[in-house]
Amino acid sequence: MSGDIATTSTTPSAVATAITGDEETQSTSITTTTTWTNKPHITWSDSYTKAHKAIQSLTSILPSIPPSLSSSETPASCLLRDAETAAQISNLLRQPDSGAGDDNICRWLYDTFQYSEPELHIVVLRFLPVIAGVYLSRVNLHKPLAGFEAVLLALYGYETSVRNSQSITVNIPDLSHSSIYHETNKAPKNSATELNLAVISPSLEPCGIVRSTKRARIVGVALELYYSKLPQIPVESKIEFCEFCKIWSSGHGESSGNEAKKSIYMPWELLQPVLRILGHCLMGYKRDEKLYQSAIGAIGCLYERALHDLNTKAMLATGSLLQLVKLGAESDEVDYTEINTESNTINL
């Protein structure tokens, strides 16, 4: 499994220079996210101006831009939802020579995210499945991928700043603690010191370079950020994510270039956010049938990969999701309010 990890790395100066083309003005671009928590209040005018600038800069990269984007009163929202523009950007990201340091579309995504505008952040995250999918599929080909890495580092740096060095935890119910709904003669325990906490995502350290040992963690954190914004992300992006999950797990699927010929290394720090996203696709409050079926296919591929690798943790997680699918299918076939004609009763 370890043979799948590439040993290439990209220096901060190389990444920043490749994306901006200016060594003097971009020397700290990758680490500027540490000041974002104190950014000033953003007015409607600021949001409109930033979104309009992003669209204008995109006109020099894409073959065509719908006039409605520039004339819209909500340009960021229109940019996020415009299927034609999204298809053009995705196509450029899938090109055989995409992701290099001089890739214009990667530079645009990086610059757009640096506007620190929430709606533009969603626009960039909308393309994360393609960025992460193509990037992880090519790392073993030893191609220059500084453009992809700069975007991923920008997302990682933002999430590091937002979390403020804190890990993400969840309190797991403990039967040794008295229930608040029942009377008890036992003295209450100090819940502040005896909470049964599980760490979902460990604390983050600032990172300005993509090393092979940190690659899965950096991509995983970017996917955690993507997961946190899923309700706002178009369904087409989620379907693309499911398709790349199939490629990552088996090395087969629809893709361009040479990236779909080998499965990738998937440690838990990468697999966990992947499964959380797929779980949302299965159980989201707005069920889309195409997305639902794509998610089932992706989970099935990951389950087969877990069996092949004898990865018990992954087998349990993916198997549980498949069991939810099975239970959901069974519940759809049963009408619990059907009237029994023999006894004239309703079965509940």
Side-chain angles (χ1 to χ4, degrees), residues 76-87:
S77 178
C78 287
L79 180 59
L80 176 65
R81 303 296 173 182
D82 188 81
E84 179 184 345
T85 302

Side-chain angles (χ1 to χ4, degrees), residues 143-213:
K143 289 185 175 183
L145 301 171
F148 286 148
E149 290 179 343
V151 178
L152 291 170
L153 283 170
L155 301 179
Y156 178 89
Y158 172 81
E159 189 69 359
T160 301
S161 176
V162 169
R163 294 189 191 181
N164 194 26
S165 302
Q166 299 295 318
S167 59
I168 298 178
T169 60
V170 61
N171 183 23
I172 301 177
D174 187 350
L175 294 179
S176 65
H177 289 255
S178 300
S179 170
I180 61 174
Y181 301 105
H182 297 85
E183 295 182 358
T184 178
N185 295 325
K186 296 181 180 180
K189 296 183 179 181
N190 187 348
S191 58
T193 59
E194 297 186 22
L195 290 177
N196 189 14
L197 297 178
V199 178
I200 297 178
S201 181
S203 59
L204 304 176
E205 299 178 355
C207 185
I209 186 172
V210 181
R211 298 186 183 277
S212 60
T213 55

